[in-house]
Amino acid sequence: MERNPDRKDQVLVPADLTESFEPIVGQSVTLRTLRREDVDIEAAFLTGLSPESRHNRLLGGMIKITREYVERLTTIDYARDMAIAAALMLEGREVLIGVARYVLESGGRACEFALVIADDWQGHGIGRRMMEKLITVARSRGLESIYGEVLSTNHDMLEFCRRLGFSLGRNADDPTVTRVSRQL
Ligand SMILES: CC(C)(COP(=O)(O)OP(=O)(O)OC[C@H]1O[C@@H](n2cnc3c(N)ncnc32)[C@H](O)[C@@H]1OP(=O)(O)O)[C@@H](O)C(=O)NCCC(=O)NCCS
């Protein structure tokens, strides 16, 4: 962990999680922790999502993407939670093309994840790479399981999760949502 004196509510930022790879030849994508100074590129990323991706990511909810909402998403307590961004340089500017995150459950043994990849970048192995990284971090922190809530109509995500070793379970209270989970 690296101590950043400029950040009062985000003091502990893991320093060693950055890696780069080429999902498309010649295009370097970097995975790194999401930071508070990413608020503008995170806002651009969210507003650039297709209605379908946004609907799937937000479980059908119509959340308004306000500055306050994006600030909350980019203010991570890295002592508990994790948020990994996929970023690349386009015309000299950094652009976000994916975010994978988890929040620790109150018992401290399990975490709930969320993942979204920009529409133009889906299907290039970026989501898999990000989930694998998230799982590695969660495991290294001693967590025992990871789970997520997926719209039951989101067959792409359910298939994605199956391929990553998650099991799929019914949500008795709400059949519109499927719970995906796996041991770490
Ligand atoms: C679902 C999502 C996260 C997948 O990310 P991605 O980067 O497109 O997926 P990847 O390219 O890494 O694919 C990983 C695996 O899932 C499979 N997969 C991905 N999309 C698929 C699809 N549409 N249909 C079938 N399989 C699919 C791939 O074949 C691949 O399998 P393999 O590694 O065994 O070959 C992404 O499409 C997305 O962000 N969707 C919109 C938001 C969303 O639904 N988020 C989930 C909210 S709970």
Side-chain angles (χ1 to χ4, degrees):
M1 294 281 199
E2 173 184 278
R3 192 163 286 275
N4 184 333
D6 297 334
R7 262 180 231 132
K8 292 190 177 62
D9 55 348
Q10 199 178 341
V11 178
L12 295 169
V13 179
D16 55 352
L17 294 177
T18 302
E19 63 172 291
S20 296
F21 65 107
E22 280 192 11
I24 295 174
V25 175
Q27 182 65 72
S28 178
V29 170
T30 297
L31 303 188
R32 61 165 177 79
T33 47
L34 188 70
R35 312 209 174 94
R36 207 160 60 172
E37 51 270 34
D38 292 327
V39 64
D40 290 331
I41 57 175
E42 165 85 353
F45 168 61
L46 290 173
T47 51
L49 289 173
S50 67
E52 190 191 358
S53 286
R54 208 186 295 184
H55 174 81
N56 282 332
R57 165 64 181 87
L58 302 173
L59 295 189
M62 292 300 291
I63 292 179
K64 215 170 164 203
I65 299 173
T66 60
R67 179 94 185 164
E68 194 189 4
Y69 174 67
V70 182
E71 279 174 0
R72 256 190 291 132
L73 289 180
T74 49
T75 304
I76 316 296
D77 176 2
Y78 279 111
R80 296 174 49 83
D81 305 330
M82 178 53 55
I84 293 167
L88 53 75
M89 298 302 289
L90 275 185
E91 294 167 3
R93 305 181 76 164
E94 192 182 34
V95 174
L96 284 193
I97 58 162
V99 176
R101 60 176 74 233
Y102 72 65
V103 291
L104 196 64
E105 213 183 49
S106 53
R109 291 183 170 176
C111 61
E112 179 171 7
F113 78 89
L115 169 69
V116 63
I117 306 296
D119 291 78
D120 287 349
W121 290 89
Q122 292 174 10
H124 293 287
I126 299 171
R128 171 183 268 280
R129 190 120 178 182
M130 297 188 84
M131 272 309 289
E132 286 172 347
K133 195 171 183 75
L134 205 61
I135 286 169
T136 302
V137 173
R139 190 182 290 132
S140 74
R141 291 181 170 195
L143 302 189
E144 292 170 5
S145 61
I146 183 165
Y147 67 90
E149 303 278 330
V150 179
L151 283 179
S152 302
T153 50
N154 190 353
H155 303 293
D156 294 355
M157 183 61 182
L158 294 174
E159 178 58 25
F160 171 90
C161 290
R162 240 185 240 114
R163 286 173 187 244
L164 276 161
F166 282 78
S167 34
L168 277 48
R170 285 216 158 276
N171 181 331
D173 298 330
D174 184 357
T176 66
V177 172
T178 296
R179 189 180 169 103
V180 297
S181 61
R182 63 164 275 179
Q183 294 301 305
L184 294 168

